[in-house]
Amino acid sequence: MSKKKILIIDDDKELTELLSEYLSYEGFEVAACHDGVSGLARAYDMSFSLILLDVMMPKLNGFEVLKALGGQHKIPILMLTAKGDHDDRVLGLELGADDYLAKPFQHRELLARINAILRRITIVKQNDNNNVSQKINNVRLEHATREVFCHQQLVELTGTEFQILDLLMNNVSKIVSKNEISEQVMNRKLSAFDRSIDMHISNIRRKLLAFCPADKLKTIRGAGYIFLSGEIDGDKG
Amino acid sequence: MSKKKILIIDDDKELTELLSEYLSYEGFEVAACHDGVSGLARAYDMSFSLILLDVMMPKLNGFEVLKALGGQHKIPILMLTAKGDHDDRVLGLELGADDYLAKPFQHRELLARINAILRRITIVKQNDNNNVSQKINNVRLEHATREVFCHQQLVELTGTEFQILDLLMNNVSKIVSKNEISEQVMNRKLSAFDRSIDMHISNIRRKLLAFCPADKLKTIRGAGYIFLSGEIDGDKG
DNA sequence: AAACCAGTGTAAAGATTCTGTAAAGATATT
DNA sequence: AATATCTTTACAGAATCTTTACACTGGTTT
């Protein structure tokens, strides 16, 4: 991955210089502007991963730059200020800043905050693609597509079957009672002589066994069912 | 959109009570735990949008909870602490927290920080989708002219049909529920017995099938529709 | 050990829900 | 009004879910 680019908008040239050096050392590519107008122009460049924005500046101050960028700006912004003023801080956040750091600050804290923001973005992007997915004991469950794979092979489950398997896999090695299944999946209390859960379990088992040697759903007589986590058959699902 | 859920993990029950009230008033759904162990258990629930995590707690302290969650935790975390200690602050961020707020704090600042984190997530998710023009599986969608091409041939879709196809293509390989389609495209909640989406889907299918051999919209019974990304017919649209 | 019994597995039948689509009606646009 | 578009209605068919029925299991009582 290429270096992340950070734009510093601050009229304090001495500070800017120091920060540039420090952040470069930490592996970022740094650009700097010393007033709001030119900063705003650079900001539209869009190739920056993050903007460090000073509040007190000539021409356009930090808040005005924030407003100009509009609330839905794509580049995350970390505000810097000389004032420790609370209202300033909150105002910045409300106007769309992602974080706020009062001068003077330790370089290490600045770095930690920058990384926190960038890390969150990375995680969100990953999750958006990799969608919530879990794999236990060679059974993989894709929520986005509602698909289940056993040993890399697609297992066709119905909606209810999928939800029950999901519930069981979310409680690996824990007993899940029929009552819980009924309430969480079917939205109703388990009534006497209701055998539908038994049927669903039976169907899930049958479908999974078409691809796995061992049964992964264990019955606990009188208590419920468990999804077994044990590494029974050894491949990479 | 449903309410966002926030989990508070803090042993100070009085504070927790106040925060719950305040955040509920601001439109969040709030749950609370009073020690690290139970908090960690709830955190795995995964239905929370954000966690407020106190550092000083019995059993497991906040840092230990952070470590237990691992760096790549999907739920954003805002740390709270009584100490104004810088090193604590930085340590939390380095361990994977998204932000840090020192007690005592103003409710308004807390709210602003919570919103800043959630807003960033929303923006990232949106931007990941918003491409001006896209082509998937031989279907090309031109936003500028609102035209759709399938295998280079113009497909005449109505406005609603275009928007539905757009939504589905922005979520390739993800299930889009009828509810989402209704809310995002028609700006209304899906009411019972409303079959109009079925009709639109049916029409889109019919129009696309005039130019493609294979159906690209897959029905997931009881869940919604998916635009298939698979390279079914092999040319360059 | 035999009888008993509640809980379970599962095939098959029955009931229910969801979807596809034609056609008619309603609404909006020109 | 004429046209295009969207929604509702209606029915058929498909997929799914539930119930029924009977066999089996494991534990308990006699």
Side-chain angles (χ1 to χ4, degrees), chain B residues 45-237:
Chain B
D45 192 341
M46 281 315 278
S47 65
F48 293 101
S49 299
L50 188 139
I51 297 175
L52 291 183
L53 178 60
D54 185 31
V55 171
M56 299 290 285
M57 279 186 303
K59 297 188 196 177
L60 274 181
N61 73 33
F63 293 137
E64 291 166 321
V65 173
L66 262 186
K67 281 182 197 161
L69 283 170
Q72 288 293 94
H73 49 79
K74 292 172 183 169
I75 309 178
I77 293 177
L78 202 165
M79 304 276 291
L80 302 176
T81 190
K83 291 187 197 170
D85 189 357
H86 255 270
D87 290 337
D88 257 29
R89 208 182 293 186
V90 175
L91 182 59
L93 294 171
E94 288 177 347
L95 282 175
D98 289 80
D99 200 354
Y100 190 103
L101 194 50
K103 295 180 187 177
F105 50 79
Q106 294 180 359
H107 282 182
R108 189 169 157 232
E109 177 166 6
L110 175 68
L111 180 66
R113 288 193 179 274
I114 290 174
N115 282 331
I117 295 172
L118 298 179
R119 178 181 55 221
R120 174 56 47 194
I121 291 174
T122 306
I123 291 173
V124 172
K125 282 187 179 173
Q126 278 177 7
N127 285 355
D128 240 28
N129 294 337
N130 284 352
N131 296 325
V132 182
S133 148
Q134 54 185 326
K135 192 190 86 192
I136 304 167
N137 198 356
N138 296 309
V139 177
R140 185 159 49 91
L141 212 128
E142 295 288 346
H143 278 82
T145 54
R146 235 182 156 73
E147 282 175 327
V148 176
F149 296 87
C150 184
H151 286 250
Q152 286 85 40
Q153 289 174 289
L154 182 63
V155 184
E156 302 218 356
L157 297 188
T158 69
T160 305
E161 286 161 8
F162 182 91
Q163 288 184 70
I164 292 176
L165 185 58
D166 185 22
L167 179 61
L168 289 171
M169 288 180 70
N170 272 326
N171 292 280
V172 191
S173 301
K174 280 188 235 173
I175 295 180
V176 183
S177 71
K178 289 189 184 180
N179 218 322
E180 282 176 85
I181 296 176
S182 189
E183 287 183 6
Q184 300 226 17
V185 175
M186 286 104 140
N187 298 312
R188 67 177 188 234
K189 287 196 176 177
L190 184 65
S191 56
F193 310 118
D194 186 338
R195 306 299 310 286
S196 56
I197 289 173
D198 302 63
M199 280 311 307
H200 289 304
I201 293 283
S202 175
N203 290 329
I204 296 171
R205 274 193 180 124
R206 179 171 43 75
K207 291 178 182 179
L208 286 180
L209 279 174
F211 305 102
C212 318
D215 187 4
K216 293 166 199 307
L217 304 186
K218 184 180 176 188
T219 303
I220 310 295
R221 183 181 231 262
Y225 297 94
I226 290 185
F227 185 92
L228 297 172
S229 66
E231 295 302 330
I232 296 167
D233 29 59
D235 77 350
K236 296 162 189 173

Side-chain angles (χ1 to χ4, degrees), chain A residues 185-219:
Chain A
V185 175
M186 287 104 142
N187 299 312
R188 69 179 187 232
K189 288 196 175 177
L190 185 64
S191 56
F193 311 118
D194 186 337
R195 306 298 311 286
S196 56
I197 290 174
D198 303 65
M199 279 312 306
H200 288 305
I201 294 284
S202 173
N203 289 329
I204 296 171
R205 274 192 179 125
R206 179 172 43 76
K207 291 178 181 178
L208 286 180
L209 279 173
F211 304 103
C212 317
D215 187 4
K216 292 166 198 309
L217 304 186
K218 186 178 177 188
T219 304

